[in-house]
Amino acid sequence: FGSGSPAVVFGDAVLSYGGFESRVNRLARVLVDAGVRVGDRVAVCVPRSLDLPVVLAAVMRAGGAYVPVDASYPVERIEYVLADSAPSLAVVDVSVRSVISGVPVVELGPDSWEDWAGVSDAPVVLSRPVSGRDAAYVIYTSGSTGRPKGVVVEHRGLVNFLVWKMRATGIVASDRVLQKAPTAFDASVWEFFVPLVAGASVVVAEPEGHRDPSYLVGLMSSGAVSVVEFVPSMLDALLEFVSDPSDVAGVERVFCGGEELSPGSASAALEVFGDRLFNLYGPTEATVGITSQVISREVVSRSRAALPIGSPAFNSSAWVLDRFLRPVPVGVPGELYLGGVQVARGYHGRPGLSAGAFVADPFSGSGQRLYRTGDLVRWNVFGGLEYLGRCDDQVKIRGFRVELDEIRA
């Protein structure tokens, strides 16, 4: 692909790779001039737009770790995320400026790129090079701990994930990847950055479009996208809006993740999309996704209650263990522990919680850690993992982990 190839598409607006690189470098320089240093956390509160991928990339280009803040979240949640993450700066769109307080801001508005026209778009020189152990982003996720926690993902884990995802799923420069997950949901990470690594196009859904099955089917029917991902419950709803499989023939790969994919849902999807279905698994603490399984009619037919979630990414490991951290035989349920380079650093500012979830790896012998997922799984005879449920009372709604203590009447 070349500098004129489309990097980001938003409605009728298109940003080429040359334009994308220029904007990323200029904004990175603005952030550095505003005081951002390598390792700093930078809050990002920007609605869906042509510039959203630019902002996320610019924060990392400036050496920072982005902390997504969703303007639609309750005020209490936003205030908590800002207080807990303690960002040195926030990049805020002028349309939602009022939701951010107590943090120095760089405002992004309709005239920003004209205002920054004189800023050099050459790569910025940082105070020190960014290393693989520096944080790339901090995403706040829930579970069953009473309050959200910020998962710190390092560059080495992110790079491993991006390269593995691109190679395992065959995404290439000619693809058009639908970006619809909110930035506070870690599925957004791959939707933004895998296509940019591959030289493909990021097609950003319009605001609130990610909630509208008819709009999403319209994008697929128009040929605007070739790669999509849905949580299974959303996929079920979306299939009701597809009148003819030929209408979505341009969709070459469909990913499912965030929830359990049932054999019934998979069969319905295969009828519409053919053998272009992938079942993905990965908690936020293991950098978006860490296992992948191609789902075919043969896989569905040989599965009983649970479809396989596949085997781990390269430089990663998966262990099915009993309560004494001993591996269990094939077919026997146990708790899933994940290891390798994609395991997150831990929870920001919560060492006790981190110590309970990220435990010493008894198998590597090299000071590595395993992440205790709380998921009940088993190995099948084909060498893949099957998801069976939870070991605790964690609640998910359409792929989002929910803290029950945050729910108000």
Side-chain angles (χ1 to χ4, degrees):
F1 68 97
S3 62
S5 301
V8 185
V9 179
F10 180 69
D12 295 330
V14 178
L15 187 62
S16 69
Y17 269 92
F20 177 82
E21 185 72 6
S22 176
R23 289 192 177 189
V24 168
N25 283 335
R26 276 191 281 160
L27 181 54
R29 192 172 296 274
V30 169
L31 297 178
V32 170
D33 290 345
V36 173
R37 296 294 178 263
V38 177
D40 284 355
R41 291 171 297 282
V42 177
V44 173
C45 188
V46 176
R48 296 181 176 282
S49 62
L50 196 70
D51 286 325
L52 179 54
V54 171
V55 174
L56 300 179
V59 170
M60 291 194 286
R61 189 74 59 88
Y66 75 83
V67 183
V69 176
D70 193 324
S72 68
Y73 277 9
V75 172
E76 294 83 359
R77 172 77 173 229
I78 293 173
E79 291 178 344
Y80 172 80
V81 169
L82 292 175
D84 190 71
S85 62
S88 64
L89 189 74
V91 181
V92 186
D93 190 272
V94 292
S95 65
V96 292
R97 174 65 182 86
S98 61
V99 308
I100 301 295
S101 61
V103 182
V105 302
V106 168
E107 291 190 1
L108 187 67
D111 299 324
S112 292
W113 297 113
E114 292 182 12
D115 295 339
W116 297 330
V119 177
S120 171
D121 63 357
V124 65
V125 177
L126 303 179
S127 56
R128 67 168 175 83
V130 175
S131 77
R133 299 309 299 261
D134 284 313
Y137 61 84
V138 181
I139 284 183
Y140 277 75
T141 187
S142 301
S144 54
T145 62
R147 58 191 176 115
K149 59 253 187 210
V151 180
V152 183
V153 171
E154 297 174 338
H155 279 280
R156 61 176 190 155
L158 176 59
V159 169
N160 192 85
F161 165 72
L162 295 178
V163 175
W164 166 74
K165 174 92 171 186
M166 179 180 65
R167 292 180 179 175
T169 58
I171 292 176
V172 295
S174 59
D175 278 314
R176 303 168 305 284
V177 179
L178 175 62
Q179 199 297 301
K180 63 169 187 51
T183 54
F185 186 27
D186 70 333
S188 66
V189 175
W190 93 257
E191 292 176 342
F192 284 119
F193 296 115
V194 170
L196 292 173
V197 168
S201 300
V202 182
V203 181
V204 181
E206 66 180 24
E208 298 305 311
H210 67 292
R211 307 177 192 271
D212 184 351
S214 62
Y215 165 77
L216 296 173
V217 170
L219 277 180
M220 292 189 290
S221 300
S222 70
V225 296
S226 62
V227 180
V228 296
E229 178 172 350
F230 301 101
V231 294
S233 54
M234 185 62 171
L235 179 62
D236 289 341
L238 182 137
L239 291 176
E240 297 179 6
F241 287 80
V242 180
S243 57
D244 188 329
S246 64
D247 291 341
V248 293
V251 178
E252 298 174 3
R253 285 176 291 287
V254 178
F255 301 124
C256 277
E259 294 174 336
E260 181 181 359
L261 177 63
S262 70
S265 293
S267 294
L270 289 170
E271 288 297 319
V272 172
F273 295 106
D275 291 341
R276 295 169 278 168
L277 185 64
F278 292 74
N279 195 21
L280 309 176
Y281 167 85
T284 307
E285 291 87 345
T287 314
V288 189
I290 199 166
T291 71
S292 176
Q293 171 74 50
V294 177
I295 301 297
S296 63
R297 291 174 176 81
E298 179 185 358
V299 169
V300 173
S301 66
R302 74 187 184 208
S303 300
R304 292 171 291 175
L307 287 173
I309 57 176
S311 52
F314 47 60
N315 299 316
S316 303
S317 61
W319 299 90
V320 184
L321 308 178
D322 64 17
R323 62 192 182 97
F324 300 107
L325 296 186
R326 299 176 303 195
V328 300
V330 171
V332 175
E335 186 172 358
L336 177 60
Y337 287 72
L338 301 171
V341 71
Q342 287 187 204
V343 172
R345 181 188 298 173
Y347 301 120
H348 173 68
R350 303 182 73 176
L353 189 61
S354 296
F358 299 87
V359 301
D361 183 347
F363 309 107
S364 70
S366 58
Q368 301 299 307
R369 298 170 307 141
L370 297 177
Y371 170 63
R372 182 179 184 180
T373 68
D375 287 327
L376 191 67
V377 300
R378 66 185 172 205
W379 290 109
N380 61 29
V381 295
F382 302 100
L385 290 163
E386 294 179 350
Y387 176 82
L388 304 176
R390 288 291 298 175
C391 302
D392 59 18
D393 57 356
Q394 182 186 100
V395 175
K396 274 191 175 184
I397 300 176
R398 287 196 172 182
F400 287 90
R401 288 151 58 171
V402 176
E403 290 288 358
L404 297 181
D405 287 357
E406 284 197 292
I407 297 176
R408 299 289 185 267

